[in-house]
Amino acid sequence: MSGRSPDDDPVQDVRRAEALFRSSEHAAALDILDALDIATLPPSILDRALPLMLMAGEATAGEEFSLRLLGRIERLTAHGDLDASSIVMTYRAEATAEPRRRAELATVALDRLSVSTAPVSRHRAIAVLLAAKVDLGQGFDHELLAQMEELERQIDLVAPVDSALAQRGFLAYQVGLLDESRNALALLRRQARIDGEPFMERIFTIHLATVDVYAGRRTAADDLRGVTEADAVLSPAAARASGLIALRGADEAALQAVLLQPTVQGSEVHGALTRRALIGLAAARREQWREAYQQLSIALAHAESLGSQEPGRRMWIDFDLARAAVGTGRRQDARRMTDRLEILSRGSRPLLDGVVIRIHALLAAEEDPPRSVEMLEDSVAVLSGAGFPDQLVLSLLELGRALASLGRFDDARQVLERAHVLAHQTGDLSLGLLVDRAMALASSDAVLAALTTREREIARAAARGASSRQIAEESFTSVRTVETQLSSVYRKLGITSRAQLMFLLADRVRAERVGSLPRRAERWAAEGGSAPTGLCG
């Protein structure tokens, strides 16, 4: 900031910088803006120059550089007029991590900024407040969005990434509005491509891939690969999208690559949140509830350190964390988490409502199995219109298991077949493996339904290849007793040999083996409960 612009005409310099920025020549735009005498700029020029400087700085040298630049500008304008300080306050609000404080600063700036003096900064302050409300779990404020759209009809300097349409794209899916986000992001990406703005196109593609993953669209992986395959460093948003794609594809090698890849400087907590969440979500997909609870609890702590209360901002880790709490016997924790989700939903968010009903059903399963089935049927009905196929599959999976536990095997098979079709239609292979395993177990349970509890135990052990002596030793009984009980099993099942028994229960044996495969995350937990150095930020 030399105190003189190249042409001594700040208006022309800002216009040149705008043109360069739109052409993705961010370093050149920054050079021009950096030569301006910020302390003497009229508010109407500062209003246009400041956001360009910060965006060009981040695009050129990263988030940390942009934050240092903002600090310098704050010092230079500290004794300026109220309009200038309010303009700078808007961007300080945007850079503030704690969402409640961010909302407070944005509100003060909005009260001070007029449309005539600083329309761009007023527009940005509304965007900051909109995002802060999402972070605080207050939903997506369409009235604020309408104010942004009205301002955009009056000003001509709104970068695509800051537009009302972009806020719709970035934020709506995080509160469950997938179609609203997807339509906005698809339009923005198409326009960025037409305008020759690869930086903007990349940002929109990353978020669109995330939306497509949640919506069960198979195109997500191909779209994302095209913009990140050469990256040595990932943004947290790109890491989240890449990790979720690997998770749903049951691609452990790809997931490990994401976990090992560093994220951009200045985003350490966001990077740690993303990595821990992905490790925990992967464990939940394997139904390794202890590991899932441990990793997702750490991820939740990271999210809360950022002030984030919206489940979508937290990659929906609340859902699997509540399920892991049930799976590890932490029933009060699960109830507390579902109570919070109910408060956030207030009966108006089908995604949250359907998940809450599912967790309540699992909590009720032990005491009232028929009631648990009814609740799971309600969960399926609610989630059928929510737009998140993975959550619908999970409720169908739990319903199928609950029906099988009541001996309603035909009903269980129908429910699980629906889950199987949906999981594979959406390309969610990790959920498909869980569903296929449940189908195999339910089928074998139907076969074994005529046996006593002891006969079922012996039949399963024999089907796994255990000898009569091994079964006898494990159950502290005699070989003769085991052989007698096996003969009873053969008679009831209409077979005559151990080989036929193994064939009859082969699907169950395979399902049990899939469920017990060791995973790297489990080994990390055994070595101290955390991922290797470098995996978490």
Side-chain angles (χ1 to χ4, degrees), residues 140 167-182 185 206-208 210-211 214 237 240 310 312-313 316 349 351 388:
F140 187 55
Q167 303 319 302
R168 192 188 298 274
F170 295 151
L171 299 174
Y173 77 86
Q174 300 192 51
V175 298
L177 304 174
L178 292 181
D179 287 342
E180 188 167 343
S181 267
R182 190 178 198 286
L185 290 166
I206 288 169
H207 282 273
L208 184 57
T210 302
V211 176
Y214 287 137
R240 172 182 59 186
E310 168 58 45
R313 289 289 217 199
W316 312 104
R349 296 172 63 177
L351 175 62
F388 284 73

Side-chain angles (χ1 to χ4, degrees), residues 15-282:
R15 287 176 180 168
R16 287 174 55 215
E18 291 168 7
L20 288 166
F21 188 89
R22 287 172 176 149
S23 300
S24 298
E25 296 182 53
H26 304 119
L30 183 61
D31 287 342
I32 290 174
L33 295 166
D34 199 37
L36 296 172
D37 189 347
I38 290 292
T40 64
L41 286 180
S44 59
I45 305 302
L46 179 63
D47 183 50
R48 298 169 73 96
L50 181 53
L52 276 175
M53 289 184 71
L54 297 177
M55 288 188 295
E58 182 170 352
T60 302
E63 183 181 5
E64 253 182 29
F65 175 84
S66 182
L67 290 173
R68 290 197 302 270
L69 185 60
L70 176 61
R72 288 167 57 197
I73 294 168
E74 280 182 307
R75 291 189 294 273
L76 288 169
T77 58
H79 303 294
D81 62 25
L82 186 62
D83 285 334
S85 63
S86 299
I87 289 169
V88 177
M89 181 186 292
T90 297
Y91 298 94
R92 174 50 62 194
E94 186 176 41
T96 298
E98 206 287 309
R100 199 167 300 281
R101 179 59 178 160
R102 200 182 332 139
E104 291 170 357
L105 290 171
T107 301
V108 171
L110 274 173
D111 288 342
R112 295 177 179 176
L113 294 169
S114 68
V115 175
S116 59
T117 303
V120 176
S121 297
R122 182 172 177 80
H123 179 275
R124 180 67 68 93
I126 297 172
V128 172
L129 183 57
L130 185 70
K133 292 184 76 169
V134 169
D135 264 328
L136 292 167
Q138 296 174 9
F140 187 55
D141 192 327
H142 284 87
E143 290 185 10
L144 283 176
L145 191 74
Q147 292 180 36
M148 291 184 69
E149 291 169 338
E150 177 62 28
L151 263 176
E152 288 173 22
R153 286 189 279 271
Q154 302 174 44
I155 58 178
D156 63 356
L157 177 66
V158 175
V161 75
D162 296 319
S163 66
L165 190 61
Q167 303 319 302
R168 192 188 298 274
F170 295 151
L171 299 174
Y173 77 86
Q174 300 192 51
V175 298
L177 304 174
L178 292 181
D179 287 342
E180 188 167 343
S181 267
R182 190 178 198 286
N183 292 338
L185 290 166
L187 283 171
L188 288 160
R189 183 176 68 168
R190 186 180 307 119
Q191 190 60 50
R193 186 173 297 164
I194 292 170
D195 294 342
E197 297 184 355
F199 179 71
M200 296 297 182
E201 182 182 350
R202 174 190 180 84
I203 291 173
F204 299 136
T205 298
I206 288 169
H207 282 273
L208 184 57
T210 302
V211 176
D212 281 347
V213 171
Y214 287 137
R217 294 177 181 268
R218 292 175 176 267
T219 56
D222 291 337
D223 286 349
L224 188 67
R225 191 177 299 115
V227 299
T228 62
E229 59 185 356
D231 287 354
V233 177
L234 292 174
S235 69
R240 172 182 59 186
S242 300
L244 290 174
I245 288 169
L247 183 62
R248 281 158 173 72
D251 190 339
E252 186 173 340
L255 181 59
Q256 299 311 317
V258 173
L259 297 177
L260 289 165
Q261 201 163 354
T263 49
V264 294
Q265 289 185 347
S267 301
E268 285 82 3
V269 178
H270 288 92
L273 163 62
T274 299
R275 289 178 173 84
R276 289 290 187 176
L278 289 171
I279 295 170
L281 294 173

Side-chain angles (χ1 to χ4, degrees), residues 274-526:
T274 299
R275 289 178 173 84
R276 289 290 187 176
L278 289 171
I279 295 170
L281 294 173
R285 287 299 182 94
R286 299 190 298 269
E287 298 193 328
Q288 295 165 342
W289 300 122
R290 183 175 299 177
E291 170 72 2
Y293 187 86
Q294 181 183 50
Q295 298 295 342
L296 293 175
S297 293
I298 297 171
L300 184 63
H302 286 312
E304 291 182 341
S305 75
L306 295 168
S308 177
Q309 298 177 39
E310 168 58 45
R313 289 289 217 199
R314 288 143 53 146
M315 298 174 62
W316 312 104
I317 60 176
D318 307 63
F319 299 174
D320 283 335
L321 183 57
R323 177 63 181 90
V326 176
T328 55
R330 296 174 169 88
R331 299 171 66 84
Q332 286 302 112
D333 283 358
R335 290 192 180 96
R336 187 181 68 254
M337 284 182 264
T338 52
D339 287 348
R340 180 185 165 279
L341 292 173
E342 282 185 293
I343 291 169
L344 288 177
S345 173
R346 297 182 290 276
S348 63
R349 296 172 63 177
L351 175 62
L352 301 190
D353 295 336
V355 172
V356 164
I357 297 169
R358 181 172 73 230
I359 300 301
H360 282 316
L362 294 173
L363 289 168
E366 189 174 328
E367 297 176 357
D368 192 347
R371 175 59 182 151
S372 178
V373 166
E374 291 176 2
M375 294 171 72
L376 286 167
E377 289 171 339
D378 289 343
S379 176
V380 167
V382 171
L383 289 171
S384 292
F388 284 73
D390 61 335
Q391 296 303 320
L392 175 56
V393 170
L394 286 169
S395 286
L396 287 167
L397 174 62
E398 297 292 3
L399 175 58
R401 288 169 168 167
L403 288 167
S405 72
L406 293 177
R408 295 171 55 183
F409 298 113
D410 288 341
D411 292 338
R413 188 158 41 249
Q414 290 180 12
V415 167
L416 292 171
E417 284 174 355
R418 180 184 172 191
H420 170 89
V421 169
L422 183 57
H424 287 275
Q425 278 180 344
T426 59
D428 199 325
L429 300 184
S430 63
L431 272 186
L433 291 171
L434 281 182
V435 172
D436 291 350
R437 179 185 172 206
M439 291 176 72
L441 294 174
S443 295
S444 66
D445 283 342
V447 169
L448 300 175
L451 306 182
T452 66
T453 300
R454 180 61 186 145
E455 286 170 345
R456 282 197 291 271
E457 292 173 355
I458 288 176
R460 289 167 181 158
R464 288 192 296 269
S467 67
S468 295
R469 181 173 298 282
Q470 289 171 325
I471 297 171
E473 290 175 353
E474 290 174 2
S475 56
F476 302 102
T477 189
S478 67
V479 172
R480 183 173 181 178
T481 299
V482 170
E483 293 289 354
T484 300
Q485 289 172 323
L486 270 176
S487 296
S488 177
V489 168
Y490 297 162
R491 184 177 66 256
K492 290 181 180 181
L493 297 183
I495 59 178
T496 58
S497 69
R498 186 182 291 256
Q500 289 176 316
L501 178 65
M502 294 176 74
F503 178 80
L504 196 62
L505 299 183
D507 284 347
R508 182 183 191 96
V509 171
R510 280 195 295 270
E512 289 175 346
R513 284 175 179 165
V514 167
S516 63
L517 286 175
R519 294 289 190 268
R520 191 174 305 182
E522 284 189 316
R523 294 199 293 275
W524 295 341

